[in-house]
Every structure is written in structure tokens, then in C-alpha cells.
Amino acid sequence: MGVYSKIAKLIKRDYIIFTKQHRRTYHAIPFLDLYEKATGDIVSKDRLSILVRKHPNIDTLSNESLQFTLGILNKFGITTLEACKHPHVFVMNPITLDNYGEILKECGFVNILPNHIIKYHTLVRSRTIAFLKKEGLIKADLNLEEVLYDYFPELPAMCRSLENFPDSTTSILIVRMSVLEKYLKWRLSVTSEEFQRYCRNYLPLKHKPMSDIKEALTIAEDNIMFSKDEIRRNGFIISTDPIKSKLIIDNVKSLAGMDIRQVIRTEPAILKNNYNALLQIRDLLEEYRISDEAQRRCLKVYCMKPQTVKERLEDLINMKEYQILSTNPRVLSMVVHKRKMIKRLSKIKLTKKQCYSLNHLVSSNNVFNNYITSFGNRVCGRDISILINTSLIVDNNKSNTSIKKSNSTESLKATLNQLKKHKYWLHSALSVIDENIQYLKLKFDNKTILEHCQLLLYPISEIKYYVEILLEKRNGLHPDAHLDASYNNLKFSALSDQHILSLVLYEIEKKYHFSGDGVWTNQDGIKLDSKAVN
């Protein structure tokens, strides 16, 4: 039995050696491979479940993500083995991880360990400088104010007055904010009230390394060409990630037909996004044929997540309201304010109002409440003219872009002038006008319809009735079909398309004594109590 026992032990030993040397990613969890390689320990299923419970998503991290985190930690002298013994560092945001490590480094930490980064907030906010010195985390003779001022060598001596905070009652955060406030007062003429507001509203500012803040301001002023006043008005620029800003400038040369720097100056919040997201959104807008002009009118769309933009465009593309307004230069405001717009559409339908404009769907609550609680229906004249012109565009000069733009502007004005001659031109719903356009385009060319654009204000049933009769009479059919006016000497076969549409308009308005009242349908709407609209 002794021999068999000895053989069994040898087999067991060889098996353990073999499994350690030929370990595979059988569990398909890269962190476990990294952990086992660094520590030599095998993680059981029970231990894995504890790890996942303590450090959510650690089992879903890719090998690339793990290596990226290790690269950051290596900057602070943290080895793979040390990192694996503190798995929480792998589930932290990499930018946050880097910021915390850099701040501890700036503040003179003798050694930076994974546990220091994990407990960063406790160390910089809740622990006094005296405590950190006693624990040996920073040197006993270190003057934190002087150390931090060294990161701003350009700061004049007259602005470097020491506050001489007592170590026994002062935290790292208090000293850092004191030094930073003096620097921003000198560089941007920031007031104490503004600085406090930045700290309150832009929380990353408190936990950004001094070197990053300095670099972010240099990029903002010297590269993007922000003025000091613009940076002060958009305080978040101070705490932007300089690496992300550089990547945007280097990889996204233009958006909406504009230089990326001009785009950022127009919509500074774009700096909060990353360059990959901006490129994805640009491709999406191109796919959905959103014009550069429409993008310029609503650059906020580039502050969103690409997936959100994609989902909203997919939802909106099937909505009749979006289809009608899709050629409007402000159409992207429907994407940015989709939730608000959907909510308002339901209230508009509840009140049976039909003459709403794009502005009603995305405007301030006061504007919308005034519209929804008032009697009557009015639409935005510009929305009407844009819908008509973009649906019936007539352009014989396809080679010259500048001429096309000029013609478009002139055509828009001409359409507006023609519509304004009608007493009630602002009281026809966009949906009615769009339906009329689609119907008339089946029978007449765009130019002819555009010349009779007042006809588009009338109910489709009226237009259809007279169009069908007059076209049939021109073709010699139904000569006895009833018309309100008498045309005893009229030769119907000689009527042109222009004549037909003029006669349709004449027939509709004749029974209303040419008052313009022919546009009205049963769409008066219901008045809501303003308190019910939020």
C-alpha cells in the first residue's frame, strides 16, 4: 500500500504542475488569467462569485481594458501583482484612476499604492495633513502649498501668498482648492463667487490634477481660441480632459461643414464627448441625410451618445410629424428634445389643435403653455414656407452652389409674400399642407404648384373635388359635372395646368364670397387650464 500511496502522490504532484504550466482561458474571463499568472493562485468558482459581488463587472473586463489599467498604474510604480491583490482598481474609470494617482503624486506621496487610489477621497478630504505625515504617506517637512505652487511657475510671486494652513486641521483638498483659486483668479480673472460655483457645479474640478487644468486652459485659449470671458461663462472647460480635447482636434477636422474649433466655440459642451462619438454621430446624420445647415442649427446633437442619436432617429423617422418637418433647418431639435416633443404632441392631440409649429414642440414651457391654453390655431409662417419650398424646389442651376443658395432664399421670400396675401395663411395645419402637396404632385409639376401655393392652405377634400372635375372636363369626360360657376363660353380642352389650379382656387373661395374662410375646418381645439400643463 505504501508503494501505491507514493505513486498516487507523484501523479497528483505532476498533475498540479501540468495544470499550472498549461492553464487555459477555459473560463473566458481575462481577469482570472491575469490574476492566476501574477499570483500563481487558482480562483475557485466560489471565490469568483465573491470577487464579482465586491467588484461588479470584473468578470466582463476585456484583456485590452486590463492592460490599459495596468499601464496607468505602472506610471505610479504599481506592479501587476500589487494591482491583482486590489482588484477594485480594475473596475474604476481609467480617467478617474489616472487623476487620483496624479493628484497623490502632485501632493508629494512618498509611495502610491493601489489602496491609496481606492481610498483617495478619504485621504484627500477626510484625513488631515498631520495624519498623513504621521503615517509616513507624505514627508514630515513637506509644505503642500509650496509644492503645489511649483506646478504654476508662471504665477507671479505677488499671487503666491501662503495661507499657512495648520496641518492638524487641514486636508489636502482645502490646500489644493486654495492654490487653484489663486491661479484661476490670476489667469482668468475669476471671482471667488465664480470659483465656488465651479466647484459646486463642476465636481471634476476638485479632483483634476493641476497639470491637467493648466494644459486644458492652454488648449482652450491657444488652440481652440476661447476668450477668457467664454471660459469663465463655461466653467466646465477648466476641468476638461486635455487628452480628450487633443484627440477631438486631431481626429475630427470638421463637423456640419465647419472647422472643429469653430464648432467647439459655438457649442463648448462638445468637449465633454469623445472623438469617436463625434465621428459616429456625424456618420449617422449623413446616413439620415441631415444637412450641414440643420446640424449647424443644433450642434447640441454632438453632445449626445451615438446610440441615443441612432435610437431617436430610428423612432422619429416613422413619425408623421418628423416626416413633415424633416426638411426644416431646425429638425435636429426634435432629436435632442425627443422626450419633451412626444409629451407635447400628446397634449396637442388632447386639445385637438392641429396648427402647431416646430417651435411649439421644442420651445420653453412658457411658450408652449401659452400656445396650448389659448383658443384658436396658428402655425409658424416660416415653417409653412420651408415645407412648401423644400417639397417643391425648382432649381435650374444645379452646377453653381452659390446661385442655388441665392435662388433658395429668393424663392423662400417669394413664397412668403404670396402666402401673406391670404388673410388666414397662418391657420392651416402643416399636415394639411403636406397632404395637399403630396396629392397635387401626382398631377402637376412643382413649378405650377409653387405658383399657386395659396391653394395648399385649403382642405384636401375641397381641392380633390374640383381638381378631378376640371381635369375630367379638360379630357372631355363628364361634361355635365357640376361646378359652382358658369363657364358657358370656356373651352375646357384648352386649359393649361396653371388654369386648372387657378380655377380650383376660384371655385373653392367663390362659395365663401372670396373672404378666405374656405381654409377653415372643424379644428378649433379645446382650451386647457394652464395648471394642467407641465
Side-chain angles (χ1 to χ4, degrees):
M1 288 295 292
V3 174
Y4 287 115
S5 177
K6 197 170 185 180
I7 292 173
K9 285 182 180 179
L10 288 171
I11 292 173
K12 185 177 180 181
R13 184 199 67 186
D14 290 343
Y15 173 75
I16 292 171
I17 293 171
F18 176 83
T19 53
K20 283 187 176 181
Q21 291 177 344
H22 299 82
R23 205 173 282 130
R24 305 275 182 190
T25 57
Y26 62 91
H27 36 57
I29 300 176
F31 173 74
L32 295 189
D33 291 326
L34 178 69
Y35 182 89
E36 291 170 6
K37 185 177 179 181
T39 66
D41 294 337
I42 298 175
V43 180
S44 67
K45 287 185 178 181
D46 290 340
R47 190 174 174 191
L48 174 61
S49 64
I50 295 172
L51 275 174
V52 173
R53 191 162 61 249
K54 286 185 177 180
H55 316 289
N57 300 322
I58 199 165
D59 56 332
T60 63
L61 296 174
S62 66
N63 187 58
E64 291 76 13
S65 173
L66 295 172
Q67 293 305 317
F68 187 66
T69 298
L70 288 173
I72 294 172
L73 296 174
N74 185 250
K75 286 172 32 181
F76 310 117
I78 297 172
T79 66
T80 302
L81 177 60
E82 289 174 321
C84 287
K85 289 181 178 179
H86 296 84
H88 188 72
V89 293
F90 291 102
V91 296
M92 291 177 67
N93 181 291
I95 295 175
T96 302
L97 186 77
D98 192 26
N99 287 342
Y100 290 176
E102 286 291 345
I103 290 171
L104 296 179
K105 185 178 177 182
E106 285 180 353
C107 292
F109 267 59
V110 177
N111 291 306
I112 299 175
L113 303 176
N115 205 37
H116 296 158
I117 295 177
I118 293 169
K119 294 184 176 181
Y120 162 84
H121 283 282
T122 300
L123 294 176
V124 302
R125 299 173 72 170
S126 304
R127 296 288 183 259
T128 63
I129 293 173
F131 174 86
L132 299 176
K133 289 181 175 180
K134 182 182 177 182
E135 293 294 315
L137 299 178
I138 58 179
K139 292 180 180 179
D141 60 349
L142 180 134
N143 186 313
L144 187 55
E145 274 188 282
E146 291 179 347
V147 168
L148 293 176
Y149 276 131
D150 287 343
Y151 285 93
F152 303 122
E154 69 276 25
L155 187 64
M158 59 185 293
C159 300
R160 291 168 170 258
S161 58
L162 295 177
E163 298 295 333
N164 294 315
F165 296 104
D167 288 353
S168 58
T169 58
T170 309
S171 68
I172 282 177
L173 186 61
I174 290 173
V175 180
R176 287 190 75 248
M177 290 302 98
S178 173
V179 172
L180 180 59
E181 181 177 359
K182 289 176 184 175
Y183 177 71
L184 294 180
K185 281 182 176 180
W186 168 76
R187 182 157 183 173
L188 300 175
S189 300
V190 167
T191 66
S192 295
E193 292 74 18
E194 285 175 324
F195 181 75
Q196 292 304 318
R197 189 170 72 249
Y198 298 158
C199 292
R200 188 169 58 250
N201 296 340
Y202 312 121
L203 296 180
L205 182 63
K206 290 184 176 182
H207 308 293
K208 275 282 180 184
M210 298 300 195
S211 55
D212 278 9
I213 290 172
K214 182 177 173 179
E215 190 176 2
L217 289 175
T218 300
I219 292 171
E221 288 186 295
D222 299 343
N223 197 325
I224 302 173
M225 307 303 290
F226 277 118
S227 68
K228 286 180 170 57
D229 285 342
E230 286 172 327
I231 297 174
R232 285 173 58 186
R233 285 197 302 271
N234 300 278
F236 65 85
I237 294 173
I238 302 168
S239 60
T240 53
D241 184 351
I243 294 176
K244 284 175 66 176
S245 299
K246 284 180 183 175
L247 286 171
I248 289 174
I249 294 168
D250 292 342
N251 293 281
V252 188
K253 299 301 181 184
S254 65
L255 293 176
M258 298 163 59
D259 180 82
I260 187 60
R261 293 166 181 81
Q262 186 181 353
V263 172
I264 294 171
R265 287 196 298 272
T266 305
E267 188 58 62
I270 285 173
L271 287 173
K272 296 178 182 179
N273 220 334
N274 63 73
Y275 82 93
N276 272 321
L278 298 181
L279 293 175
Q280 289 176 47
I281 294 169
R282 186 176 68 182
D283 290 344
L284 273 170
L285 299 182
E286 185 177 332
E287 180 185 339
Y288 281 84
R289 298 182 180 180
I290 307 294
S291 68
D292 285 348
E293 181 187 0
Q295 293 179 43
R296 288 193 290 271
R297 294 290 189 95
C298 192
L299 290 171
K300 282 188 184 298
V301 72
Y302 284 106
C303 302
M304 301 171 67
K305 293 180 180 179
Q307 187 59 33
T308 303
V309 176
K310 187 175 191 307
E311 289 171 358
R312 292 188 179 187
L313 282 169
E314 287 174 350
D315 291 342
L316 290 171
I317 202 73
N318 297 315
M319 289 180 59
K320 186 176 180 181
E321 292 81 6
Y322 179 85
Q323 293 167 5
I324 292 171
L325 293 165
S326 61
T327 56
N328 193 296
R330 295 179 61 210
V331 66
L332 279 177
S333 58
M334 298 178 74
V335 176
V336 173
H337 302 291
K338 185 202 165 196
R339 291 177 183 172
K340 177 166 71 174
M341 184 197 72
I342 297 296
K343 195 174 180 181
R344 289 183 174 183
L345 277 174
S346 66
K347 290 177 180 176
I348 288 170
K349 289 174 183 176
L350 179 65
T351 57
K352 298 183 180 179
K353 287 180 181 282
Q354 294 189 11
C355 293
Y356 57 84
S357 299
L358 176 58
N359 192 50
H360 294 136
L361 300 179
V362 298
S363 62
S364 67
N365 287 336
N366 285 340
V367 171
F368 179 72
N369 285 337
N370 287 337
Y371 159 73
I372 205 74
T373 58
S374 63
F375 286 111
N377 274 314
R378 278 177 69 90
V379 73
C380 172
R382 187 168 178 78
D383 284 0
I384 292 179
S385 57
I386 288 171
L387 173 60
I388 293 174
N389 266 66
T390 53
S391 302
L392 302 171
I393 189 69
V394 179
D395 193 349
N396 297 320
N397 229 316
K398 305 218 179 263
S399 59
N400 193 317
T401 305
S402 63
I403 293 177
K404 284 176 73 175
K405 288 182 179 177
S406 174
N407 285 345
S408 176
T409 303
E410 291 172 6
S411 181
L412 200 64
K413 288 181 179 177
T415 303
L416 272 171
N417 290 335
Q418 192 172 343
L419 289 169
K420 285 177 180 178
K421 293 177 183 178
H422 196 291
K423 186 177 180 180
Y424 300 117
W425 75 289
L426 293 176
H427 295 273
S428 288
L430 292 172
S431 57
V432 170
I433 295 170
D434 182 66
E435 189 178 12
N436 288 336
I437 290 172
Q438 302 313 316
Y439 167 71
L440 291 174
K441 284 178 77 169
L442 297 174
K443 301 180 182 295
F444 304 93
D445 63 63
N446 289 356
K447 186 172 182 294
T448 303
I449 301 170
L450 196 59
E451 290 172 352
H452 295 79
C453 58
Q454 285 190 18
L455 185 61
L456 300 172
L457 305 174
Y458 291 84
I460 184 69
S461 57
E462 296 274 332
I463 294 173
K464 266 186 178 181
Y465 177 77
Y466 290 111
V467 165
E468 299 294 340
I469 288 179
L470 288 167
L471 287 178
E472 287 178 351
K473 280 183 173 290
R474 184 171 70 175
N475 294 329
L477 302 173
H478 306 296
D480 297 327
H482 175 69
L483 290 170
D484 292 328
S486 300
Y487 303 102
N488 296 330
N489 300 319
L490 183 62
K491 189 177 180 181
F492 284 97
S493 61
L495 294 177
S496 66
D497 284 351
Q498 285 87 351
H499 294 142
I500 294 288
L501 291 186
S502 294
L503 287 172
V504 171
L505 184 57
Y506 176 81
E507 285 288 331
I508 291 174
E509 271 305 320
K510 182 178 181 295
K511 56 187 176 183
Y512 297 100
H513 308 289
F514 305 100
S515 62
D517 289 346
V519 302
W520 302 110
T521 55
N522 298 323
Q523 304 170 13
D524 293 334
I526 301 170
K527 190 174 187 293
L528 278 185
D529 181 357
S530 61
K531 293 180 181 178
V533 183
N534 298 311

